[in-house]
Amino acid sequence: MQSWFQGTILYGGRTRGITESVAVYLATSAVILAAGVLRGSMTGLFVAMVAFVLSFATQNAWLWWRSRPVFAARRAREMGVALS
């Protein structure tokens, strides 16, 4: 899904969303890892796995959100061709 959303954004020429998604990934990872270190009650491996899974999920959600306008434009273009 991540590659599909990134490819759609790239195809649409709106590549800023890709950079933003990396920032979202890094911010989410940093917050969860910092919280895990400060709390100190879980094994570091578990904290890291939770951080990376949630970071990946938030990055994909961001890519999905930013790719919606490109999908909508493509859908509108296809509908216009089909109606002609």
Side-chain angles (χ1 to χ4, degrees):
M1 294 304 293
Q2 180 184 18
S3 295
W4 186 38
F5 294 142
Q6 283 181 344
T8 300
I9 291 169
L10 190 62
Y11 174 77
R14 302 176 182 184
T15 58
R16 181 177 178 171
I18 296 171
T19 305
E20 293 170 349
S21 75
V22 173
V24 167
Y25 178 91
L26 290 173
T28 306
S29 292
V31 167
I32 295 171
L33 290 172
V37 168
L38 291 174
R39 184 166 172 154
S41 63
M42 287 180 62
T43 305
L45 178 63
F46 298 133
V47 173
M49 291 307 298
V50 168
F52 293 139
V53 167
L54 291 178
S55 298
F56 187 74
T58 56
Q59 182 181 22
N60 278 332
W62 189 265
L63 288 168
W64 167 77
W65 182 259
R66 297 292 280 167
S67 67
R68 289 177 337 123
V70 180
F71 280 125
R74 182 174 167 228
R75 192 173 311 117
R77 189 172 56 245
E78 288 174 356
M79 295 299 262
V81 171
L83 294 175
S84 299

